[in-house]
Amino acid sequence: MSQTQAAPREEAPARGLTGSLGATAIVFMVVAAASPLTVVGGATPLGILIGNGVGFPSLYAVAAVVLLLFAVGLATMARHVPRPGAFFTYVGYGFGRGAGLAAAWIAMLTYTVVQLAVYGYLGYILSVTVAGVGGPSLAWWLYALAVVAIVGILGYRHIDLSSKVLGVLLVAEVAIVLVLVAAVTFSGGAEGLSAAPFLPENIVSGSPGVGLTFAIAAFIGFEATAIFRDEARDPDRTIPRATYTAVVGIGVFYTLASWAMVMAWGPNGVMDAASQDPGTLLLRTVARYLGTVGEVTINVLLITSLFACVLSFHNVITRYQHSMANAGVLPARLATVHAAHRSPHAASIVQTVTAAVLLAAFALLQLDPVLQVFTWFSGVATLSVVLLMAVASGAVIAYFLRTRKDRRLWHTLVAPALGLLGLVGIGILIVAYYPMLVGDVDAEGNPVFGTVSWILIALIVAFPVGGAVQAAWIRARRPAAYAKLTDAIAS
């Protein structure tokens, strides 16, 4: 039978996603994107070393409080806007279609670059690990491309499969970290247990702006719970419950884990331990408190943690593409749903190809997978998502002030406003210290905006500007398509 004859059976005529995901499954999907073990082993040592030192654990708590305030408005919006577009849709409802499309492109940038960052780190870890056990010494990007293919296969199939894979890996990651926390706690640590990380003088020491960058980056993905609305069992209850559970769970877990890291070496010794090699601080801590078996286990779970992260972001990106295609701003082909798997398979294929092409470009440019691919694009993702959440908070306030559909002041005004103020403050600190993330510093080590910093920030500006231009073009040339962008009151 020809491909033309077989094609109609490949895709379902309906464009809606379906599923029966509960709050737990959705939490697994979005928390896995935070890659718990990667954060504990990568972001935490760097936050201690080049952030605010002993006080870094407190910044996870600060970030959690701000993002919980933001989540109140996000969850309230999810009840009144029965669409899965999340930021794309919510900003459109609050500020109009043009702003919504600009937000959609910021979101696409955020999740795409953070996925690329993790692909680079995962490729590096795999290359070192395989070579270390006597395997072939291959370039990092070959391993990264192999993982892209595996993720593409899982993303093509029904999301229930991805959620089960992510659930197993996430439980294993969290379990090993909690075992480490227990070992440090029961042993009393290196200098005795204390609340030193939460003392005001330690919180504001060093470079808290850099520390906040790493802390906020650890939460990227939690806000994507609304993306899975069409695949949730009872979206009006499941999505808010999953959102609150995700942000609280992430905040408590990272605060506890990073506190244990400081206690493991002591407030007076953790900086020296991190400066020796921040990349191996977690492994050395585990070897010290859990022995060789724990160290080997952590090595394996670090790889699966990174894999879970890219798989989760792949699912988020494909659903953004699916929502944007349904709104008429991306090719209609991306809105199709697989007849058997009920997945946005066309969007999944496009995302897989995009990741492969960009990684190949990084390889040709000979970028370092950790110091450049991972660090640079993690910084882009963090600043982008803070900007996106700040705009979304403002959109929540604008929407409910205009429509009066929900008169609960805390949910529609107070919490979103407090979240907005917190996000703006965090954004200012991140920008001020941004050059330090990419190595743009003067002879004294002070941050100075150089070529790399300006290029990456220009990228963050270009995407929303491009979205606004696209919205204006669609409004002028395709008014019917413009009307589909959101059901917002005309802007």
Side-chain angles (χ1 to χ4, degrees):
M1 184 175 291
S2 68
Q3 290 181 339
T4 302
Q5 292 173 311
R9 297 191 307 193
E10 175 71 8
E11 296 167 2
R15 292 185 175 184
L17 297 173
T18 61
S20 59
L21 295 175
T24 300
I26 295 175
V27 169
F28 277 148
M29 294 293 293
V30 298
V31 175
S35 191
L37 199 56
T38 306
V39 171
V40 175
T44 295
L46 289 171
I48 292 171
L49 182 62
I50 63 177
N52 60 329
V54 174
F56 178 69
S58 63
L59 297 185
Y60 283 128
V62 171
V65 171
V66 173
L67 296 181
L68 187 59
L69 292 168
F70 162 75
V72 172
L74 189 73
T76 305
M77 229 19 198
R79 291 180 180 273
H80 294 274
V81 180
R83 297 180 181 276
F87 289 139
F88 168 36
T89 304
Y90 299 166
V91 174
Y93 270 65
F95 291 140
R97 300 173 178 89
L101 187 53
W105 283 110
I106 300 177
M108 287 289 291
L109 173 66
T110 298
Y111 299 125
T112 298
V113 296
V114 75
Q115 185 188 39
L116 291 171
V118 179
Y119 272 130
Y121 190 30
L122 178 54
Y124 169 76
I125 292 295
L126 284 171
S127 66
V128 171
T129 301
V130 172
V133 297
S137 181
L138 302 177
W140 68 268
W141 54 268
L142 290 174
Y143 289 103
L145 289 174
V147 175
V148 169
I150 297 171
V151 168
I153 293 171
L154 288 172
Y156 185 91
R157 297 178 62 83
H158 195 278
I159 195 170
D160 283 343
L161 174 61
S162 292
S163 67
K164 290 173 183 176
V165 172
L166 291 173
V168 172
L169 298 180
L170 181 61
V171 169
E173 291 178 55
V174 172
I176 189 66
V177 173
L178 291 180
V179 170
L180 176 61
V181 171
V184 172
T185 301
F186 288 126
S187 70
E191 301 171 7
L193 304 181
S194 72
F198 308 106
L199 297 177
E201 59 268 28
N202 290 329
I203 295 174
V204 299
S205 66
S207 303
V210 174
L212 274 172
T213 302
F214 288 111
I216 290 290
F219 289 80
I220 293 179
F222 92 88
E223 75 289 343
T225 50
I227 281 291
F228 301 102
R229 181 181 180 88
D230 285 351
E231 295 152 285
R233 183 180 302 118
D234 181 4
D236 286 342
R237 297 182 60 186
T238 299
I239 298 303
R241 186 179 301 169
T243 303
Y244 293 135
T245 301
V247 68
V248 172
I250 292 171
V252 171
F253 178 77
Y254 288 146
T255 302
L256 179 63
S258 56
W259 169 83
M261 186 81 76
V262 173
M263 294 300 104
W265 298 93
N268 296 317
V270 70
M271 287 292 288
D272 288 338
S275 65
Q276 291 177 21
D277 183 359
T280 62
L281 181 61
L282 175 62
L283 297 178
R284 285 182 281 128
T285 305
V286 171
R288 186 174 184 177
Y289 286 89
L290 299 181
T292 303
V293 174
E295 185 179 12
V296 172
T297 303
I298 280 285
N299 264 307
V300 173
L301 289 177
L302 177 59
I303 294 173
T304 60
S305 172
L306 291 164
F307 176 78
C309 181
V310 292
L311 176 58
S312 183
F313 279 124
H314 178 93
N315 285 327
V316 170
I317 296 168
T318 56
R319 279 149 185 81
Y320 257 103
Q321 291 177 336
H322 180 270
S323 295
M324 292 171 71
N326 269 327
V329 298
L330 287 178
R333 173 75 174 177
L334 299 183
T336 57
V337 176
H338 196 282
H341 303 307
R342 307 306 303 167
S343 64
H345 67 296
S348 179
I349 292 173
V350 169
Q351 172 54 26
T352 300
V353 172
T354 300
V357 169
L358 290 174
L359 286 171
F362 297 159
L364 290 174
L365 292 172
Q366 298 184 335
L367 297 184
D368 184 278
V370 177
L371 298 179
Q372 294 174 316
V373 176
F374 180 75
T375 304
W376 290 1
F377 293 106
S378 292
V380 171
T382 303
L383 186 53
S384 296
V385 81
V386 168
L387 171 63
L388 191 56
M389 289 189 289
V391 173
S393 293
V396 169
I397 296 171
Y399 175 74
F400 287 112
L401 285 177
R402 185 177 65 241
T403 65
R404 301 294 182 179
K405 287 187 175 182
D406 193 322
R407 296 182 180 275
R408 295 174 297 171
L409 287 179
W410 171 256
H411 291 77
T412 62
L413 179 60
V414 178
L418 292 174
L420 174 59
L421 290 174
L423 289 165
V424 169
I426 289 173
I428 292 172
L429 282 172
I430 290 176
V431 170
Y433 286 92
Y434 192 81
M436 295 189 69
L437 294 176
V438 298
D440 284 343
V441 295
D442 60 20
E444 287 76 33
N446 299 312
V448 177
F449 280 87
T451 302
V452 176
S453 298
W454 284 120
I455 289 176
L456 294 179
I457 288 181
L459 186 67
I460 298 171
V461 173
F463 269 72
V465 169
V469 171
Q470 183 187 25
W473 184 88
I474 294 174
R475 183 175 188 175
R477 302 294 183 87
R478 298 164 54 204
Y482 184 78
K484 291 175 59 180
L485 289 182
T486 66
D487 291 331
I489 296 174
S491 58

